[in-house]
Amino acid sequence: MPDLERNKKELSFGRRLARLGAAWRRQVDHDLREYGLTEATWRPVLYLGLLPPPVRQTDLVRVLEIEAPSVARLLDVLERRDLVFRSPDHEDKRSKIVSLTEKGERTARQVRHAVEAVSSRLLHGISTPELLACYSVFERIETNLHKKP
């Protein structure tokens, strides 16, 4: 690829990646609308269903990449909807353990199925080597993100 073409691709890469990520989440939102879930509510439920317990509130802050006060308010909403409950962390008195309720477990399965269905639809026609190459590129970008300038 000539340098000029590469420069164009580099300039638009991040913007396109962000746009695709947002569109992907909107697709999941659409599929979960009938359950009354939005991105704000399905993402923590999904991660609580995927992360090995115990899950601390600070773990959710880290994985969701949103501010701690926002996560706390979001968990308040999810508690009122009987999807999660918080309990004291006996190892760290400053922290809370977040768990799914029975209803939350069922919802987490619905979310996981919706995410899998969207992934299947959007990755249709993408070969395994293409998907692996894409993952390889993502891993190198993540490595570069963590390098000190």
Side-chain angles (χ1 to χ4, degrees):
M1 176 183 316
D3 286 343
L4 183 59
E5 185 64 22
R6 180 181 171 91
N7 286 347
K8 281 184 182 177
K9 298 288 186 198
E10 282 182 9
L11 287 172
S12 67
F13 187 86
R15 192 173 55 250
R16 189 167 191 183
L17 186 61
R19 193 177 72 237
L20 283 170
W24 194 295
R25 288 188 303 276
R26 277 193 306 275
Q27 289 286 310
V28 175
D29 274 355
H30 179 269
D31 286 11
L32 290 170
R33 190 173 300 146
E34 68 185 271
Y35 301 108
L37 298 169
T38 63
E39 181 182 344
T41 53
W42 66 255
R43 285 184 67 227
V45 170
L46 175 68
Y47 285 118
L48 284 168
L50 295 174
L51 294 170
V55 178
R56 289 180 176 81
Q57 195 162 318
T58 53
D59 297 333
L60 274 180
V61 167
R62 208 171 6 271
V63 75
L64 293 171
E65 297 179 339
I66 56 179
E67 299 294 321
S70 297
V71 170
R73 286 189 302 274
L74 183 54
L75 291 174
D76 290 341
V77 169
L78 294 173
E79 274 186 319
R80 283 193 299 275
R81 292 179 65 182
D82 191 34
L83 295 173
V84 304
F85 65 94
R86 288 178 273 194
S87 55
D89 182 349
H90 299 296
E91 292 178 19
D92 182 354
K93 299 295 182 203
R94 300 167 297 164
S95 190
K96 296 272 189 205
I97 300 294
V98 184
S99 304
L100 291 170
T101 62
E102 232 176 271
K103 181 180 176 184
E105 294 275 355
R106 287 191 305 275
T107 302
R109 282 192 295 278
Q110 291 166 330
V111 170
R112 205 167 32 255
H113 290 305
V115 168
E116 289 168 0
V118 167
S119 295
S120 181
R121 275 196 321 262
L122 298 182
L123 294 174
H124 179 76
I126 309 284
S127 70
T128 299
E130 289 171 320
L131 185 60
L132 294 174
C134 188
Y135 255 79
S136 176
V137 170
F138 287 167
E139 287 169 359
R140 284 184 275 165
I141 291 170
E142 285 177 332
T143 298
N144 290 342
L145 277 170
H146 299 298
K147 285 182 182 175
K148 299 211 188 262

